[in-house]
Amino acid sequence: MSPSIAADVHSYVPHFETLKKNAKVTDKVAPPKEEQLVLNTVRCLAADLCQQYKGGHPGTVMGAAAIGLALWRYEMRYNPANPEWFNRDRFVLSAGHACLLQYLYLHFSGYEAWTLDQIKQYHAPVMSGSMAAGHPEIEYPGVEVTTGPLGQGISNAVGLAMASKQLAATYNKDDLKVVDNKIWCFTGDGCLQEGVGQEGISIAGHLGLDNLILIYDNNAVTVDGNIDSCFSEDTSAKLAAQGWHVIEVEDGSNNLAGILEALDKAKSLTGKPIFVNIRTVIGHSSSKQNTGAVHGAALGEEDVRYVKEALGFNPEEKFVVPPKTYDYFQECKPKGAAAEAEWNKTMEQYAQRYPAEYKQLQMRLAGKFTEDNWKELLPAKQDLPTAAQPTRKSSGIAVQALVPKYNSFIAGSADLLESTFVNFKGQVEFQNPASGLGDYSGRQIRWGIREHAMLATANGFAAYQKGMFIPIASTFFMFWLYAAPAVRMSALQGLRFIGIATHDAIGIGEDGPTHQPIALAAFYRALPNINLIRPCDAEEVMGAYEIALDDSNANTPSLFCLSRQAVPLLQGTDRSKMVKGAYIVYGEDVEPELTIVSTGAEVARSIATAKLLSSTKKVRVVSMPSQKHFDAQPLEYRQSILPTSKSLVVAIEAWGSYGWARYAHASLSMHTFGYSAPADQLYEKFGFKPENMATKIDAWVHKWQSASRLPAVGEFDELLLGYAQH
């Protein structure tokens, strides 16, 4: 917050300054009548809104009403008339079940879309067109990310804070600051217990993100009741040990002055992220307060009446908002407009003094990472290495070609920079400048061994301003199982990243079955709005990057499954055909009696197998790097590539066979976990040696030739079933 705006923050309610001056964060101070009316209004609305649909989460809203008032009325910088103002503070509700708190304060502070009628649709049937979902959703004004499952929001907020720091270090000048906002995150007990929340907290402490303020609504109650039964940590001590400033506030359901003092202090602290531990009473004013009963269920008609009577409202009336409540927030709009106007003047000066930086920033604000023909930077097929190499190494060629040139890319890994080939020339690491390891301008990120938070923070980067950042995140494919919940949230929110998933099958070798992903692809193939791409050689790797970075995928994340073992550059591969999802790489000129469809490192083995077959020479091999893209093609194209009504079709993939019955009559796939051995030995042990596969396929083809028909639905054959059983 700029000094001139900060100086005006509390000027609209002078009596509050007196309260703050005399208050301590440990005091129990009743709010003045005006503020008390606002808090009571919010509590009664929470009770009514949940009771209306006999569901929802009223307790946190009622207990944390004073925190919400402090944030939206006083502490945060935003413009209700322009929710997308770039230099606004970002607010993340990690405890997303408390969404009514956010919805109500968005309404009171002047966001036009958030009418009271809109909020009355909270928990409404889907056909109502309500914005007021059971957890805040990214597409609606004032909501920065869809947090959903607990803990995600903490790591999202860490990513937002990292993005803000990186932009500030890249574009701010000594005389002009165009990025100087704060990231606020509201959390509860659940988020602090979840692993992804703890991973994010650890990252933030290490990086010294002093633009991040984490507010803990410490009500000590979850759905199951008091957290003493499952959680006995000294959270403040733990956060301090993890490199955070810690501020504590007692009686946070009433002590508005203490909350304001604490948050003012939080904004002034430097060098570390700030944790504000505010003790509240869940379900404040309910007869069930301080119990799990007010956490995730409506209060019941009797208790709603009790609340209203206790707070001085008419129990016979619903959804009552006294005019003075709106009056109390009337300055939010002009204050926000003034803040944005001041920033606009700064940007005008910036454009004059630093035109090159201004032009690049404007381009990125528009969601573009370049105006160049970036595809020309990717080597043409004739310029790719002719010697066999792992597709993970081929991916490194694309990273080196693109990432150093364009500031929109950040690239990093969960402890595997060199193994996944996402390190790039001229790299500066994103680090706390005090560490001596890098600085905040860096675009190379070491996420540490925190796969879940890696993707959840990447979501924060991607959500900061759609298209401004394109995160590249990497780890072994098996550990994308750890990251999967955050990836699901990426796909749900339309947040683009490029995921590098190396060591993608049994070819990982000696690390053994714990590291060999057999079934994971089935989840990612079933996940909506994600590109799971398994390229078979360096040419297809270049095509994977072209797909991921195409404008049509601006709202779609991509995950590349890449080999550890070397694969040859195949004659028939063509990056331009990959957008079709599958295409012919061998035997294009034949009318096939047999079609082999394969992916990744098994495509070269499939071609070798095709050449060994004795049952038929009319065989084609199809590379299918993306089932999703193939499914999107017209029926005529799909039938021309995989003619299942005219030709036998067999799939070859060293993953589980689940899903292949949609495309083939049989498969050679994995049916057990792997072993610890070199890759070539494993491919032979599990039946993927071309000579063995040719024998199996020949016998299968002869069976159906003898039957004089093609297999019907339900006659799918597993040709390697029983191989290499433990």
Side-chain angles (χ1 to χ4, degrees):
M1 186 174 284
S2 65
S4 61
I5 296 297
D8 292 337
V9 162
H10 300 291
S11 62
Y12 300 105
V13 188
H15 70 270
F16 228 66
E17 287 299 308
T18 304
L19 262 179
K20 285 172 51 190
K21 193 177 297 182
N22 298 325
K24 297 180 180 178
V25 293
T26 55
D27 286 348
K28 291 189 176 183
V29 181
K33 289 182 179 180
E34 196 173 351
E35 285 74 25
Q36 189 68 66
L37 178 63
V38 175
L39 300 181
N40 292 351
T41 300
V42 169
R43 287 163 181 156
C44 289
L45 284 171
D48 275 340
L49 289 162
C50 291
Q51 189 59 35
Q52 177 180 215
Y53 290 104
K54 309 269 189 310
H57 296 75
T60 301
V61 185
M62 298 169 74
I67 298 174
L69 190 155
L71 287 170
W72 271 276
R73 178 60 181 83
Y74 296 104
E75 300 293 347
M76 292 196 300
R77 182 176 55 171
Y78 61 93
N79 184 4
N82 182 13
E84 299 301 314
W85 170 42
F86 177 62
N87 200 38
R88 67 190 181 277
D89 286 0
R90 268 67 169 176
F91 173 80
V92 176
L93 187 70
S94 191
H97 56 273
C99 55
L100 274 179
L101 184 78
Q102 185 170 8
Y103 300 160
L104 289 170
Y105 282 111
L106 289 172
H107 169 63
F108 289 133
S109 57
Y111 286 75
E112 290 184 4
W114 287 102
T115 64
L116 190 57
D117 284 341
Q118 180 62 246
I119 298 171
K120 287 179 185 178
Q121 299 300 310
Y122 170 66
H123 270 226
V126 67
M127 297 306 293
S128 71
S130 170
M131 300 192 307
H135 289 75
E137 296 181 358
I138 191 172
E139 57 265 38
Y140 299 123
V143 180
E144 304 293 349
V145 285
T146 305
T147 50
L150 291 176
Q152 293 288 330
I154 291 180
S155 284
N156 294 163
V158 173
L160 288 165
M162 293 170 71
S164 182
K165 283 287 190 184
Q166 205 281 332
L167 290 168
T170 302
Y171 294 107
N172 283 357
K173 305 297 181 181
D174 289 340
D175 57 332
L176 291 172
K177 303 292 188 294
V178 293
V179 181
D180 64 346
N181 55 357
K182 296 290 185 183
I183 312 300
W184 303 83
C185 182
F186 180 99
T187 186
D189 299 294
C191 302
L192 293 173
Q193 293 179 47
E194 291 284 1
V196 64
Q198 287 299 317
E199 289 180 22
I201 286 168
S202 177
I203 293 172
H206 167 74
L207 294 173
L209 301 176
D210 55 13
N211 59 340
L212 174 61
I213 302 171
L214 180 61
I215 299 171
Y216 175 23
D217 172 42
N218 185 354
N219 59 50
V221 171
T222 62
V223 175
D224 275 352
N226 194 285
I227 63 169
D228 289 346
S229 63
C230 63
F231 192 69
S232 52
E233 298 171 2
D234 184 337
T235 303
S236 289
K238 183 176 182 179
L239 269 288
Q242 289 177 286
W244 289 62
H245 293 295
V246 174
I247 305 170
E248 297 195 344
V249 181
E250 298 293 340
D251 192 27
S253 291
N254 297 300
N255 187 5
L256 186 54
I259 294 170
L260 288 167
E261 183 189 13
L263 298 185
D264 280 351
K265 182 178 180 181
K267 290 193 293 187
S268 69
L269 292 172
T270 60
K272 300 177 183 180
I274 302 93
F275 180 68
V276 186
N277 187 341
I278 305 178
R279 289 164 178 82
T280 63
V281 176
I282 191 169
H284 187 281
S285 305
S286 163
S287 63
K288 305 170 188 174
Q289 68 179 35
N290 260 338
T291 70
V294 297
H295 186 285
L299 300 180
E301 295 291 352
E302 185 178 337
D303 197 28
V304 172
R305 174 178 288 272
Y306 176 92
V307 169
K308 291 179 180 177
E309 289 176 344
L311 298 179
F313 278 59
N314 185 345
E316 304 302 325
E317 297 178 344
K318 295 182 178 181
F319 311 118
V320 173
V321 181
K324 287 186 178 180
T325 298
Y326 289 114
D327 293 343
Y328 188 79
F329 289 92
Q330 66 180 345
E331 297 296 342
C332 291
K333 279 189 172 181
K335 184 173 66 171
E340 182 174 358
E342 181 181 334
W343 182 77
N344 288 337
K345 290 180 181 178
T346 299
M347 284 295 285
E348 290 173 5
Q349 295 173 333
Y350 191 86
Q352 294 174 357
R353 299 179 198 176
Y354 308 104
E357 291 92 335
Y358 177 80
K359 180 180 178 181
Q360 185 183 91
L361 183 57
Q362 288 298 311
M363 181 183 66
R364 293 179 66 185
L365 279 166
K368 299 178 181 179
F369 72 91
T370 180
E371 294 175 346
D372 303 335
N373 184 2
W374 57 269
K375 292 181 182 180
E376 293 181 352
L377 296 177
L378 298 174
K381 186 171 184 178
Q382 63 266 25
D383 298 324
L384 291 169
T386 55
Q389 69 176 19
T391 51
R392 61 172 175 155
K393 190 172 182 180
S394 300
S395 172
I397 293 172
V399 169
Q400 293 287 359
L402 297 173
V403 175
K405 185 173 177 63
Y406 301 119
N407 279 346
S408 294
F409 290 103
I410 57 148
S413 175
D415 199 45
L416 295 166
L417 280 179
E418 287 75 24
S419 261
T420 57
F421 290 89
V422 295
N423 53 326
F424 56 93
K425 294 177 183 177
Q427 64 184 10
V428 174
E429 289 192 16
F430 183 91
Q431 295 278 3
N432 184 345
S435 69
L437 301 172
D439 59 56
Y440 291 139
S441 72
R443 295 188 290 112
Q444 184 85 83
I445 300 180
R446 295 184 185 268
W447 271 288
I449 309 166
R450 306 181 184 97
E451 293 89 356
H452 196 168
M454 173 174 68
L455 266 296
T457 58
N459 285 343
F461 270 101
Y464 190 88
Q465 175 82 14
K466 277 287 193 81
M468 180 160 275
F469 286 98
I470 303 174
I472 298 176
S474 68
T475 185
F476 293 176
F477 188 30
M478 190 67 250
F479 298 107
W480 282 86
L481 181 59
Y482 283 9
V487 177
R488 179 179 173 274
M489 297 304 295
S490 311
L492 178 67
Q493 297 176 79
L495 299 175
R496 176 163 61 178
F497 69 80
I498 294 176
I500 306 300
T502 68
H503 299 56
D504 73 340
I506 57 173
I508 186 175
E510 295 87 336
D511 278 337
T514 61
H515 284 51
Q516 294 164 12
I518 303 305
L520 184 54
F523 165 76
Y524 280 110
R525 282 172 170 163
L527 186 66
N529 192 40
I530 188 170
N531 301 317
L532 184 82
I533 302 174
R534 193 179 186 217
C536 71
D537 68 357
E539 171 70 359
E540 285 200 348
V541 169
M542 300 303 121
Y545 275 90
E546 290 191 357
I547 289 172
L549 293 172
D550 189 82
D551 288 344
S552 64
N553 284 303
N555 298 313
T556 302
S558 298
L559 182 59
F560 303 160
C561 300
L562 306 174
S563 71
R564 178 198 188 196
Q565 73 274 29
V567 294
L569 184 66
L570 300 174
Q571 183 176 352
T573 52
D574 184 343
R575 72 186 70 179
S576 69
K577 295 180 179 179
M578 285 185 62
V579 72
K580 300 286 190 180
Y583 64 100
I584 301 166
V585 292
Y586 173 82
E588 188 164 10
D589 297 330
V590 303
E591 188 70 25
E593 294 178 340
L594 173 70
T595 299
I596 299 174
V597 56
S598 189
T599 74
E602 286 80 73
V603 173
R605 290 176 177 271
S606 297
I607 294 172
T609 299
K611 294 176 180 179
L612 296 174
L613 292 171
S614 61
S615 56
T616 179
K617 295 301 179 183
K618 294 182 178 180
V619 58
R620 74 166 48 152
V621 177
V622 170
S623 174
M624 185 184 274
S626 172
Q627 291 183 357
K628 170 192 169 181
H629 285 84
F630 184 69
D631 291 345
Q633 302 312 307
L635 179 62
E636 183 180 3
Y637 178 80
R638 286 181 280 136
Q639 290 181 336
S640 73
I641 299 299
L642 298 179
T644 51
S645 62
K646 300 177 181 179
S647 160
L648 288 166
V649 180
V650 61
I652 297 176
E653 189 175 56
W655 288 340
S657 65
Y658 187 81
W660 277 114
R662 296 181 62 187
Y663 310 101
H665 302 119
S667 79
L668 295 96
S669 303
M670 291 293 295
H671 297 280
T672 72
F673 293 103
Y675 283 107
S676 179
D680 286 343
Q681 292 182 27
L682 288 172
Y683 272 96
E684 182 171 354
K685 183 177 184 66
F686 287 101
F688 292 99
K689 189 175 180 180
E691 291 80 0
N692 178 69
M693 291 195 291
T695 299
K696 291 286 183 181
I697 293 172
D698 276 335
W700 178 72
V701 171
H702 284 311
K703 181 180 81 169
W704 289 105
Q705 286 174 338
S706 299
S708 299
R709 67 180 179 87
L710 294 173
V713 173
E715 293 183 309
F716 185 83
D717 284 312
E718 305 276 8
L719 302 187
L720 292 183
L721 190 63
Y723 256 77
Q725 296 281 356
H726 278 287

